[in-house]
Amino acid sequence: MLIFMLTFQFFVNALSFVLESSFNLYLSDQPHKDIAFRNVFLLSAKTIGFFVGPILFLFLESTIYMYFAAFFLILLLYEITKPLTYNMEFEGLTLKNLKMIKKLPLEYALVVIVDGMFFPVIMNYSFIILKERYAAEDITISIFWLVGGLSVIASNFLLRKIDIDVVKPNIFSALIVLNVGLVVMYFAQNSYWYLFGFFLLSLINPVFMSMIKSHFLTYFEPKHRSIALAFINTFNQLGTILLITLTILLLDTITGFQTKYIIAICLILGVIRFLFVIKILSEKEKEQFSNEANGLS
């Protein structure tokens, strides 16, 4: 089962990477809107899948993997007969292009690593917390995905409509709401309060994710954004692996260390990520002001 799922994930992620690289060629001067626009469709599909998945397992059991295999073959045949990335021109990963990352300010890489330590880790451990602390059933897990998916979709839909100049002044308010969500999740006495906290968290988190990705991608020329995306994914996954490894060691070696403490760790990481985002935004404003001054002169 593990080998099959890893193989499936490898090919699907590879196709997703190519498609997203093609999409990133055409970002506008408001890249957070474009990213939010894509996320609305992407997360709608994921929400349906994650919500229906646990329910389907109740009826189909292990035969569901046969349906996964059939779906993947259909997707592969479609890509062969009607290439989704036909005539797209973007730079691939080469040793020469890898040197471009040296020009990237350190805080860009750090903020993406911290971002990988934040939301993916919370989602991974939320299943364990819901099962261990609240004895959640499969339907509760489905509702967890539905609540998270709908709130993220709503957030991206709003980001699609809001200019960057409106987002920046309210970034501190967004941090407060995000932290309130994490505090509610930490002290929740039942699964309903935990889901409410997760709703607040997933409603606000896309603001930070879109800001990080949009500023990272626009640092590179359009044809090099596939390289930028590769680094975003790599740094993001590296952060997730590092924190999950650390928390597993803490759970195994420290007596009394509970899974809910991981929420507290993520609360600290959320504040660190906020400080990185503020620094990047301030540097972007200085750069924009300098360019305007040079233009006038």
Side-chain angles (χ1 to χ4, degrees):
M1 186 186 300
L2 178 63
I3 294 173
F4 172 76
M5 292 305 294
L6 287 175
T7 305
F8 180 83
Q9 186 175 1
F10 175 82
F11 286 106
V12 171
N13 285 347
L15 178 59
S16 177
F17 175 81
V18 173
L19 293 175
E20 189 173 354
S21 296
S22 303
F23 178 86
N24 291 335
L25 287 170
Y26 305 105
L27 296 178
S28 65
D29 57 350
Q30 292 277 343
H32 74 286
K33 288 187 176 184
D34 303 319
I35 293 171
F37 177 75
R38 177 181 180 274
N39 285 345
V40 167
F41 289 95
L42 181 67
L43 294 168
S44 295
K46 284 189 174 184
T47 300
I48 293 171
F50 287 135
F51 173 68
V52 175
I55 298 175
L56 287 177
F57 268 106
L58 294 175
F59 299 98
L60 301 176
E61 297 180 341
S62 60
T63 58
I64 197 170
Y65 294 105
M66 299 303 297
Y67 292 93
F68 285 164
F71 173 79
F72 176 69
L73 290 174
I74 293 171
L75 183 65
L76 187 62
L77 289 173
Y78 185 87
E79 170 62 11
I80 293 172
T81 56
K82 296 183 179 180
L84 298 173
T85 57
Y86 179 73
N87 205 27
M88 296 291 184
E89 294 182 3
F90 48 81
E91 290 281 346
L93 284 171
T94 63
L95 291 176
K96 180 181 179 181
N97 289 334
L98 286 174
K99 295 178 181 178
M100 295 176 56
I101 198 64
K102 293 181 179 179
K103 302 178 182 178
L104 189 72
L106 180 61
E107 58 266 22
Y108 277 75
L110 292 176
V111 73
V112 177
I113 291 175
V114 174
D115 190 58
M117 293 180 175
F118 187 71
F119 199 67
V121 173
I122 292 175
M123 285 197 301
N124 277 306
Y125 278 106
S126 286
F127 297 107
I128 300 173
I129 293 172
L130 285 169
K131 289 285 187 181
E132 284 185 353
R133 293 184 63 190
Y134 311 114
E137 298 179 354
D138 288 336
I139 187 64
T140 304
I141 302 300
S142 288
I143 294 174
F144 167 81
W145 280 114
L146 183 63
V147 167
L150 291 178
S151 55
V152 170
I153 291 168
S155 179
N156 278 283
F157 184 78
L158 290 175
L159 280 172
R160 171 68 177 164
K161 303 294 182 181
I162 300 175
D163 289 339
I164 193 70
D165 294 332
V166 177
V167 177
K168 288 179 181 178
N170 295 294
I171 196 76
F172 186 73
S173 300
L175 174 70
I176 293 175
V177 177
L178 185 144
N179 286 342
V180 168
L182 285 170
V183 171
V184 170
M185 292 171 68
Y186 183 84
F187 290 104
Q189 296 300 311
N190 54 58
S191 59
Y192 300 107
W193 277 107
Y194 190 91
L195 291 176
F196 175 71
F198 185 70
F199 166 77
L200 295 178
L201 173 66
S202 53
L203 183 67
I204 299 301
N205 192 60
V207 175
F208 293 93
M209 293 177 65
S210 294
M211 297 285 281
I212 292 167
K213 182 171 282 190
S214 63
H215 283 84
F216 200 113
L217 289 173
T218 53
Y219 191 85
F220 294 82
E221 295 179 4
K223 67 178 182 178
H224 292 138
R225 284 175 186 164
S226 58
I227 300 169
L229 181 62
F231 283 115
I232 289 175
N233 292 341
T234 300
F235 290 147
N236 198 275
Q237 294 295 322
L238 179 62
T240 303
I241 291 170
L242 287 174
L243 188 57
I244 287 182
T245 303
L246 174 63
T247 52
I248 289 173
L249 290 173
L250 291 174
L251 288 167
D252 287 343
T253 58
I254 299 180
T255 304
F257 187 85
Q258 302 177 25
T259 50
K260 72 172 186 177
Y261 296 158
I262 297 169
I263 302 295
I265 294 174
C266 289
L267 178 62
I268 298 171
L269 290 170
V271 175
I272 294 173
R273 183 182 63 168
F274 167 77
L275 296 175
F276 277 130
V277 171
I278 290 297
K279 189 174 188 302
I280 290 173
L281 289 177
S282 62
E283 289 181 352
K284 276 287 184 181
E285 288 180 353
K286 290 179 183 178
E287 182 182 343
Q288 184 178 359
F289 179 79
S290 176
N291 292 336
E292 290 176 355
N294 292 334
L296 289 174
S297 62

